[in-house]
Coordinates of all heavy atoms in Angstrom, one line a residue:
I5 N -4.2 8.0 -2.4 CA -3.7 8.1 -3.8 C -4.6 7.4 -4.8 O -5.6 6.7 -4.3 CB -2.3 7.5 -3.9 CG1 -2.3 6.0 -3.7 CG2 -1.3 8.2 -3.0 CD1 -0.9 5.3 -4.0
E7 N -4.9 4.7 -8.2 CA -4.1 3.5 -8.6 C -3.0 3.9 -9.6 O -1.9 3.3 -9.6 CB -5.1 2.5 -9.3 CG -4.4 1.2 -9.7 CD -5.4 0.2 -10.2 OE1 -6.7 0.4 -10.2 OE2 -5.0 -0.9 -10.7
S8 N -3.3 4.9 -10.4 CA -2.3 5.4 -11.4 C -1.0 5.9 -10.7 O 0.0 6.1 -11.4 CB -2.9 6.4 -12.4 OG -3.2 7.6 -11.7
D14 N 6.2 6.2 -3.3 CA 7.2 5.8 -2.4 C 6.6 4.9 -1.4 O 5.8 5.4 -0.5 CB 7.9 7.0 -1.8 CG 9.1 6.5 -1.0 OD1 9.3 5.3 -0.8 OD2 9.9 7.4 -0.5
F15 N 6.8 3.6 -1.4 CA 6.2 2.7 -0.5 C 7.2 2.1 0.5 O 6.9 1.2 1.2 CB 5.6 1.5 -1.3 CG 4.3 2.0 -2.0 CD1 4.4 2.4 -3.3 CD2 3.1 1.9 -1.4 CE1 3.3 2.9 -4.0 CE2 2.0 2.3 -2.1 CZ 2.1 2.8 -3.4
R16 N 8.4 2.7 0.6 CA 9.5 2.2 1.4 C 9.1 2.3 2.9 O 9.6 1.4 3.7 CB 10.8 2.8 1.2 CG 11.4 2.4 -0.2 CD 12.6 3.2 -0.5 NE 12.2 4.5 -0.8 CZ 13.0 5.4 -1.4 NH1 14.2 5.1 -1.7 NH2 12.5 6.6 -1.7
G22 N -4.6 0.2 2.0 CA -6.0 -0.2 1.9 C -6.7 0.3 0.7 O -6.2 1.3 0.1
V28 N -13.0 8.3 0.3 CA -13.7 8.4 1.6 C -13.0 7.4 2.5 O -12.9 6.2 2.3 CB -15.2 8.0 1.5 CG1 -15.8 7.9 2.9 CG2 -15.9 9.0 0.6
G31 N -12.6 4.6 8.0 CA -12.0 3.7 8.9 C -12.3 2.3 8.5 O -11.9 1.4 9.3
I34 N -10.5 -1.6 2.8 CA -10.3 -3.0 2.5 C -8.8 -3.3 2.5 O -8.1 -2.6 1.7 CB -11.0 -3.4 1.2 CG1 -12.5 -3.0 1.2 CG2 -10.8 -4.9 1.0 CD1 -13.3 -3.6 2.3
A38 N 0.1 -5.2 3.8 CA 0.7 -4.7 5.0 C 2.1 -5.3 5.2 O 2.4 -6.4 4.8 CB -0.2 -5.1 6.2
P44 N 10.7 -9.9 3.2 CA 12.0 -9.4 2.7 C 12.0 -7.9 2.5 O 13.1 -7.3 2.6 CB 12.1 -10.2 1.4 CG 10.8 -10.8 1.1 CD 10.1 -10.8 2.4
V49 N 14.5 -2.6 3.9 CA 14.4 -1.2 4.3 C 15.3 -1.0 5.5 O 15.7 0.1 5.8 CB 12.9 -0.9 4.7 CG1 12.8 0.5 5.3 CG2 12.1 -0.9 3.4
G52 N 13.2 0.0 11.4 CA 13.1 0.1 12.8 C 11.7 0.0 13.2 O 10.9 -0.6 12.4
V60 N -1.3 4.1 3.4 CA -1.8 4.6 2.1 C -3.1 3.9 1.8 O -3.3 2.7 1.9 CB -0.7 4.2 1.0 CG1 -1.2 4.6 -0.3 CG2 0.6 4.9 1.3
I62 N -5.8 3.6 -1.3 CA -5.9 3.7 -2.8 C -7.4 3.8 -3.2 O -8.2 3.0 -2.9 CB -5.2 2.6 -3.5 CG1 -3.8 2.4 -3.0 CG2 -5.3 2.7 -5.0 CD1 -3.1 1.2 -3.5
P67 N -13.6 -1.4 -4.3 CA -12.6 -1.9 -3.3 C -12.9 -3.3 -2.8 O -12.1 -3.9 -2.2 CB -12.7 -0.8 -2.2 CG -14.0 -0.1 -2.3 CD -14.3 -0.2 -3.8
A70 N -12.1 -8.8 -5.6 CA -10.9 -9.6 -5.4 C -9.9 -9.4 -6.5 O -8.7 -9.3 -6.2 CB -11.2 -11.1 -5.3
E71 N -10.3 -9.2 -7.7 CA -9.5 -8.9 -8.8 C -8.7 -7.6 -8.6 O -7.5 -7.5 -8.9 CB -10.3 -8.9 -10.1 CG -9.4 -8.6 -11.4 CD -10.3 -8.6 -12.6 OE1 -11.0 -9.6 -12.9 OE2 -10.2 -7.6 -13.4
L73 N -8.2 -6.0 -5.8 CA -7.2 -6.1 -4.6 C -6.0 -6.8 -5.0 O -4.9 -6.4 -4.7 CB -7.9 -6.8 -3.5 CG -9.1 -6.1 -2.9 CD1 -9.8 -6.9 -1.8 CD2 -8.8 -4.7 -2.3
D74 N -6.1 -7.9 -5.8 CA -4.9 -8.6 -6.3 C -4.1 -7.8 -7.2 O -2.8 -7.8 -7.1 CB -5.4 -9.9 -7.0 CG -4.2 -10.8 -7.3 OD1 -3.4 -11.1 -6.4 OD2 -4.2 -11.2 -8.5
R75 N -4.7 -7.0 -8.1 CA -4.0 -6.2 -9.0 C -3.2 -5.1 -8.2 O -2.0 -4.8 -8.5 CB -4.9 -5.5 -10.0 CG -4.3 -4.7 -11.0 CD -5.3 -4.1 -12.0 NE -6.1 -3.1 -11.4 CZ -7.5 -3.2 -11.3 NH1 -8.1 -4.2 -11.7 NH2 -8.1 -2.2 -10.7
L76 N -3.8 -4.5 -7.2 CA -3.2 -3.5 -6.4 C -2.0 -4.1 -5.6 O -0.9 -3.5 -5.6 CB -4.2 -2.9 -5.4 CG -5.3 -2.1 -6.0 CD1 -6.3 -1.6 -4.9 CD2 -4.8 -0.8 -6.8
R83 N 6.4 -2.2 -7.3 CA 7.0 -0.9 -7.0 C 8.1 -1.0 -5.9 O 9.1 -0.4 -6.0 CB 6.0 0.1 -6.6 CG 6.5 1.5 -6.3 CD 7.2 2.1 -7.5 NE 7.7 3.4 -7.1 CZ 8.8 4.0 -7.6 NH1 9.4 3.4 -8.6 NH2 9.1 5.2 -7.2
G89 N 15.4 -2.5 -5.0 CA 16.4 -3.1 -5.9 C 16.6 -4.6 -5.5 O 17.5 -5.3 -5.5

Side-chain angles (χ1 to χ4, degrees):
I5 66 171
E7 185 174 354
S8 65
D14 187 352
F15 290 89
R16 288 174 288 194
V28 174
I34 307 300
V49 171
V60 174
I62 303 173
E71 181 180 307
L73 297 175
D74 187 50
R75 184 180 68 242
L76 294 174
R83 180 60 180 151

